């Protein structure tokens, strides 16, 4: 027995509705993976280059003890910045990668713990496209982008601009 034309039309409608909701998710997933692959390629390229470096130190009471910033330049263009420091029983190293002045990747490593006790190491990776995170990872786990991702992007921009002023305390210690 053949279903009525009304039922056939409803089935077709539901099928196309289902496809229209699934295909964009699949397309975003493929696009996201392609974006991440491109970012990884740029990361590897930057790390393989012989770059000029400029190193600066800074300190600010309550913000950082022994802060160090290193700018890596390809010709006169900043392509990478590392920023490290410590306060209390914790330390960090943040690496920022840029393409044409825009942040493409951030790697944040935090080490800390009590003076007596277990030291922990946490690593975050931020893959960025058009000023927005396309993926955020804590260790090997993909996590949702949150205010921490927003903060790291803001810091990446501030530290990039601080190269001209050398006012690292304002860029890194003032929210």
């Amino acid at each position: 027995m053949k279903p009525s034309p009304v039922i056939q039309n409803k089935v077709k409608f539901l099928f196309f509705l289902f496809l229209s909701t699934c295909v964009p998710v699949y397309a975003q997933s493929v696009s996201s993976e392609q974006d991440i692959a491109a970012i990884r390629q740029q990361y590897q390229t930057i790390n393989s280059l012989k770059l000029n470096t400029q190193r600066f130190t800074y300190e600010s009471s309550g913000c950082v003890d022994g802060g160090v910033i290193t700018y890596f330049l390809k010709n006169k263009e900043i392509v990478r910045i590392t920023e490290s420091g410590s306060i209390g029983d914790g330390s960090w190293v943040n690496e920022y990668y840029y393409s044409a002045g825009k942040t493409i990747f951030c790697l944040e490593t935090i080490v800390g713990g009590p003076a007596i006790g277990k030291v922990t190491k946490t690593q975050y990776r931020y893959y960025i496209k058009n000023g927005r995170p396309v993926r955020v990872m804590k260790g090997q786990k993909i996590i949702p982008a949150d205010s921490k991702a927003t903060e790291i992007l803001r810091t990446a921009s501030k530290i990039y601009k601080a190269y001209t002023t050398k006012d690292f305390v304002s860029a890194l210690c003032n929210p």
Side-chain angles (χ1 to χ4, degrees), residues 22-44:
C22 291
V23 170
V25 170
Y26 174 73
Q28 281 181 339
S29 175
V30 169
S31 173
S32 172
E33 290 303 321
Q34 290 171 341
D35 293 339
I36 291 164
I39 292 165
R40 286 180 176 149
Q41 180 60 47
Q42 288 178 300
Y43 170 90
Q44 290 172 348

Side-chain angles (χ1 to χ4, degrees), residues 122-138:
T122 308
Q123 194 170 70
Y124 295 91
R125 293 190 300 274
Y126 305 86
Y127 296 85
I128 314 299
K129 181 178 180 186
N130 299 326
R132 304 198 131 186
V134 290
R135 178 174 291 166
V136 178
M137 298 182 73
K138 179 179 180 181

Side-chain angles (χ1 to χ4, degrees), residues 22-94:
C22 291
V23 170
V25 170
Y26 174 73
Q28 281 181 339
S29 175
V30 169
S31 173
S32 172
E33 290 303 321
Q34 290 171 341
D35 293 339
I36 291 164
I39 292 165
R40 286 180 176 149
Q41 180 60 47
Q42 288 178 300
Y43 170 90
Q44 290 172 348
T45 299
I46 290 169
N47 283 328
S48 70
L49 297 172
K50 183 168 176 67
L51 301 169
N52 296 319
T53 61
Q54 293 184 14
R55 184 177 183 267
F56 304 94
T57 59
Y58 72 103
E59 284 194 34
S60 175
S61 176
C63 172
V64 64
D65 299 325
V68 177
I69 298 175
T70 306
Y71 289 86
F72 297 83
L73 297 97
K74 178 182 174 187
N75 302 317
K76 293 185 180 188
E77 178 188 0
I78 298 169
V79 294
R80 179 179 171 211
I81 301 170
T82 61
E83 183 262 328
S84 62
S86 63
I87 190 163
D89 294 330
S91 65
W92 64 88
V93 176
N94 294 330

Side-chain angles (χ1 to χ4, degrees), residues 87-109:
I87 190 163
D89 294 330
S91 65
W92 64 88
V93 176
N94 294 330
E95 299 178 44
Y96 306 93
Y97 290 79
Y98 302 87
S99 177
K102 297 189 186 297
T103 309
I104 58 167
F105 181 74
C106 300
L107 177 63
E108 178 181 34
T109 305

